[in-house]
Amino acid sequence: MDEFVSLDAIGQAEAVRTGAVSPREAVEAAIARIEAVDGRCNAVVHRRFEQALAEAGDIPADAPFRGVPILLKDIGWRSAGDPYGAGSKIYDGVRIEEDSHSVAALRRAGFVVLGRTNVPELATTITTEPAAFGPTRNPYDPAFSAGGSSGGSAAAVAAGMVAVATASDGGGSIRIPASLCGLVGLKPTRGRTSLGPYAAESWGGLSVEGVVTRTVRDTAALLDVISGAAPGDPYAAPALPGPLAGEVGADPGRLRIGFVAVHPRGDLPQDPDVAAAVTRAAGLLESLGHDVTPGHPDALADAEFPRHYGTLVAANVAAELEALAAERGRPVEPDELEPRNRLMIEGGRAMAATDYLGALRAMNAHRRRMATWWTGGFDLLLTPTVPVAPYPLGWISDDDLWPSLERAGAGAAYTSPFNSTGQPAISLPLHRTAAGLPVGVQLVAAAGREDLLIRVASQIEAAQPFEHPMAGG
């Protein structure tokens, strides 16, 4: 069944639809692959194989993704009857009573949930190395990080355990693991997917749900499945012209694209592989007929942005733990948390309401300044996804706390601003280091324009097909 697991989700669905593979055989193939390679990756922290095999026989024949296996990120993405970890033992004993809006949509589409994937504790950093569950290793080289916070999902897809896995992104947590694991990772527009019924928003609107995949067409199709508002959602994304699956292969026209290879703040490390990835992508886009010139929003250089962003995250994570304390009937004590999160929670709890509102006001102003660049004639912005080269496990460590916090902030310098603005952004696997490690590039569109990102991404994919060597053996 190696041929089956190497297919993307649309290809797997077609194999089931034509009878080449039964839903049970599809699930068995994914289980066998997980058992064969996850010892190397440590991507799957909760396995529900028996339930998945039982569920495979009960899927309606007309479900578009009947029998296609999927893994869920173990923060958000709540699935009925399953435990919930969020990279920490503080959730021990918590079991989910009801599917979230997006998980229910996946089940209706025919996907079979095989388990939940590893995340850093509380999803607050860009590497997946939680003390509670151990590190997730990059399938391309187990000494390297798979990124965070959707590192388990990205490693699982890159290693061929499943064709697609769910993810979320509050500062780059879809795009950064996609970059490090050689995948497609699209952060949708704020409000495109719903967090209901468990939450109205996450991290004050910074975080959204999406997927990591190996192909653009899978990304488009999966977003079609999970997109849509639920009653009471606080945000509404601009309506798309039609299904995103219909945008794959559509002509994007001649676009005006600005690009930047060195962060305009001027305080970040520079890496030749990162610069080469952007330069090559700019040349490819130009060869496809687009007008590609150096340029970026002035607001990207805002030196105060990281501080305001950190204020919002700290306050929201502290509030989430207060809610958990009420749910489990006892407070979350500092010594239950990793040092990084202990420091964050202490800051969040000590914060004045005026500090939070001041940061929110600054972020709102930042969003308006950013938006003017797209209204001024540019269609897309091309940047690195991560401004540093792929990094080893331990590069971000609580044993080296303050330098690690600075490294994590630098690693999200190109991604987190677009969590603030709510714009859609996609990471594409267009470069490899000399050692064969993936390096992604990011394209950012105006709010609501996932359709444009899918058109351009599929154009790029057709011109330079993405390499997926089934990393991990």
Side-chain angles (χ1 to χ4, degrees):
M1 297 292 283
D2 284 349
E3 183 178 350
F4 176 81
V5 298
S6 70
L7 298 172
D8 68 358
I10 291 175
Q12 291 182 359
E14 178 65 16
V16 172
R17 187 161 45 251
T18 61
V21 176
S22 72
R24 183 181 179 91
E25 288 171 334
V27 172
E28 287 174 339
I31 290 172
R33 181 67 181 176
I34 293 170
E35 291 177 333
V37 303
D38 196 38
R40 171 184 169 98
C41 296
N42 189 36
V44 185
V45 294
H46 170 64
R47 300 180 180 189
R48 56 186 312 277
F49 294 167
E50 290 184 8
Q51 300 99 310
L53 288 167
E55 291 162 3
D58 295 328
I59 305 168
D62 61 350
F65 286 94
R66 179 174 176 241
V68 175
I70 195 167
L71 290 163
L72 305 180
K73 182 179 180 179
D74 195 23
I75 193 167
W77 295 100
R78 297 187 182 224
S79 50
D82 292 334
Y84 190 83
S88 176
K89 293 300 185 183
I90 62 175
Y91 287 89
D92 279 0
V94 173
R95 295 191 78 84
I96 307 307
E97 297 181 358
E98 179 184 3
D99 283 344
S100 69
H101 178 82
S102 294
V103 171
L106 290 171
R107 293 196 203 273
R108 287 193 301 271
F111 285 99
V112 180
V113 177
L114 298 189
R116 301 183 67 84
T117 60
N118 205 7
V119 298
E121 186 183 69
L122 306 182
T124 56
T125 192
I126 64 169
T127 188
T128 301
E129 303 177 49
F133 298 101
T136 291
R137 293 173 285 276
N138 193 308
Y140 285 87
D141 186 329
F144 280 76
S145 174
S149 62
S150 307
S153 288
V157 174
M161 299 181 210
V162 288
V164 292
T166 71
S168 56
D169 193 315
S173 289
I174 291 173
R175 293 159 289 164
I176 291 170
S179 175
L180 297 183
C181 292
L183 302 175
V184 178
L186 194 158
K187 180 193 81 68
T189 296
R190 180 181 295 136
R192 182 70 66 205
T193 57
S194 174
L195 300 177
Y198 290 97
E201 62 179 15
S202 180
W203 288 8
L206 295 175
S207 186
V208 296
E209 290 184 339
V211 294
V212 285
T213 75
R214 294 195 289 265
T215 62
V216 174
R217 69 175 189 169
D218 270 4
T219 289
L222 266 288
L223 284 176
D224 283 338
V225 169
I226 63 174
S227 291
D233 283 351
Y235 308 108
L240 292 166
L244 286 174
E247 304 295 347
V248 176
D251 184 2
R254 182 180 178 87
L255 302 177
R256 188 181 180 201
I257 303 172
F259 76 93
V260 58
V262 177
H263 200 285
R265 276 209 324 252
D267 60 349
L268 301 181
Q270 298 181 31
D271 183 270
D273 273 305
V274 172
V278 173
T279 301
R280 288 181 60 195
L284 176 60
L285 286 162
E286 193 167 43
S287 74
L288 293 171
H290 301 296
D291 180 11
V292 184
T293 58
H296 59 82
D298 291 341
L300 192 60
D302 186 349
E304 293 300 309
F305 172 82
R307 180 171 63 86
H308 298 311
Y309 171 86
T311 295
L312 295 186
V313 173
N316 276 279
V317 174
E320 289 172 10
L321 294 195
E322 293 301 317
L324 172 62
E327 182 178 357
R328 72 179 195 169
R330 66 184 190 279
V332 177
E333 302 294 347
D335 62 4
E336 295 183 83
L337 300 170
E338 296 174 20
R340 173 190 73 258
N341 285 319
R342 192 180 310 154
L343 183 67
M344 180 181 295
I345 300 310
E346 289 171 354
R349 287 173 173 170
M351 190 182 302
T354 51
D355 294 333
Y356 182 83
L357 292 174
L360 188 61
R361 184 179 298 111
M363 295 284 262
N364 288 339
H366 177 263
R367 180 169 63 249
R368 291 189 184 278
R369 295 200 311 274
M370 277 284 205
T372 59
W373 189 80
W374 275 265
T375 60
F378 282 93
D379 299 296
L380 296 174
L381 174 66
L382 168 67
T383 78
T385 304
V386 186
V388 296
Y391 37 91
L393 293 170
W395 186 67
I396 296 172
S397 166
D398 284 339
D399 295 332
D400 192 21
L401 186 56
W402 285 106
S404 289
L405 291 172
E406 291 177 355
R407 292 180 192 128
Y414 284 108
T415 52
S416 59
F418 303 107
N419 295 88
S420 168
T421 66
Q423 293 170 246
I426 191 169
S427 182
L428 299 174
L430 290 180
H431 186 73
R432 296 282 177 85
T433 68
L437 291 167
V439 176
V441 299
Q442 175 178 241
L443 286 166
V444 186
R449 293 307 310 271
E450 289 96 328
D451 60 320
L452 184 57
L453 288 180
I454 292 297
R455 290 178 193 173
V456 173
S458 62
Q459 184 186 47
I460 290 171
E461 184 181 33
Q464 185 179 313
F466 306 147
E467 299 177 9
H468 300 296
M470 295 291 284

